[in-house]
């Protein structure tokens, strides 16, 4: 039987709180986007109210706005190393901890901040764990609007046909002025090859494949909170 929304929210909160407990005074913290990452913002706000000093680097304008509402101090992304980044994911591959991200459309900034972080922690409820990436949902690919037809043709030729994400009959446009192709891949057998081929398409800015970046996955479910490392 599927879990109720309240139960799933409880799992997300538990994973987020476990990750935020790892933040110590003076750290810079990458702030993810999405409903799970928003529980981490609330947990950080509680710790800041208790005296924690930290600076957040947001992965989206929405996260920046919410962080300001929570009183979380922010700093711009300047390419320098970030101590810890905490973010959600759409799919987490069980053995590798490779990810699909971008369900919320922030994948370009999310990947940049994950790459810049010394320790990238992904937080999720256990429904996000999969044996192979690509089985649950589409793979988001961010592209320049001008190149949509070319990119869609090339994605289809790679066996990853996509449709441009829309809301209320209009293209969804990201914080960086990009549009998103949601691609149906099926189970991805070689994520590295697919990521390289997609990145080589002119007009593609990035895909939602995050490979070899996760230090640990904090996953919550009926049996409690588990901390997973890649390869375990
Ligand atoms: C946004 C993302 C999110 O982290 C991902 O979509 C998971 O979101 P949620 O925690 O709401 O399920 O990649 O671009």
């Amino acid at each position: 039987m599927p879990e109720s929304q309240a139960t799933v929210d409880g799992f997300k909160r538990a994973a987020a709180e476990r990750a935020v407990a790892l933040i110590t005074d003076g750290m810079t913290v990458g702030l993810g986007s999405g409903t799970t990452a928003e529980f981490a913002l609330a947990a950080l706000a509680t710790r800041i109210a208790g005296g924690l000093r930290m600076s957040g680097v947001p992965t989206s304008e929405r996260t920046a706005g919410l962080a300001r509402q929570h009183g979380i101090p922010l700093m711009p992304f300047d390419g320098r190393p970030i101590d810890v980044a905490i973010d959600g994911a759409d799919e987490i591959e069980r053995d590798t901890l490779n990810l699909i991200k971008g369900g919320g459309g922030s994948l370009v900034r999310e990947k940049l901040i994950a790459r810049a972080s010394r320790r990238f922690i992904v937080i999720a409820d256990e429904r996000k764990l999969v044996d192979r990436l690509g089985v649950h949902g589409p793979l988001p690919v961010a592209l320049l609007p001008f190149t949509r037809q070319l990119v869609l043709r090339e994605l289809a030729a790679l066996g990853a046909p996509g449709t441009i994400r829309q809301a209320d009959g209009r293209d969804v446009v990201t914080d960086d002025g990009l549009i998103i192709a949601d691609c149906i891949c099926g189970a991805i057998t070689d994520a590295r090859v697919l990521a390289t081929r997609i990145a080589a398409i002119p007009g593609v800015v990035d895909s939602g494949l995050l490979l070899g970046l996760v230090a640990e996955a904090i996953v919550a479910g009926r049996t409690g909170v588990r901390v997973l490392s890649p390869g375990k």
Side-chain angles (χ1 to χ4, degrees), residues 12 33-37 87-90 100-107 110 123 125 127-128:
K12 292 178 183 183
S33 298
T35 56
T36 315
D87 203 348
D90 300 304
I100 287 182
K101 286 187 53 57
S106 315
L107 60 116
E110 288 172 334
I123 53 175
D125 65 88
R127 299 172 311 165
K128 302 288 182 68

Side-chain angles (χ1 to χ4, degrees), residues 93-174:
E93 194 170 59
R94 230 177 272 279
D95 55 347
T96 60
L97 302 188
N98 287 335
L99 307 179
I100 287 182
K101 286 187 53 57
S106 315
L107 60 116
V108 173
R109 294 191 193 189
E110 288 172 334
K111 198 191 279 193
L112 280 169
I113 286 173
R115 279 203 179 117
S117 64
R118 295 192 175 96
R119 185 175 178 187
F120 175 42
I121 302 174
V122 66
I123 53 175
D125 65 88
E126 64 189 4
R127 299 172 311 165
K128 302 288 182 68
L129 284 174
V130 295
D131 291 330
R132 271 291 159 84
L133 293 178
V135 291
H136 275 181
L139 169 64
V141 173
L143 56 128
L144 298 169
F146 168 69
T147 60
R148 61 195 294 152
Q149 292 190 352
L150 166 69
V151 172
L152 288 176
R153 247 193 337 266
E154 298 277 327
L155 286 168
L158 287 181
T163 49
I164 299 298
R165 190 179 299 176
Q166 296 205 318
D168 303 324
R170 289 170 175 234
D171 293 349
V172 170
V173 178
T174 73

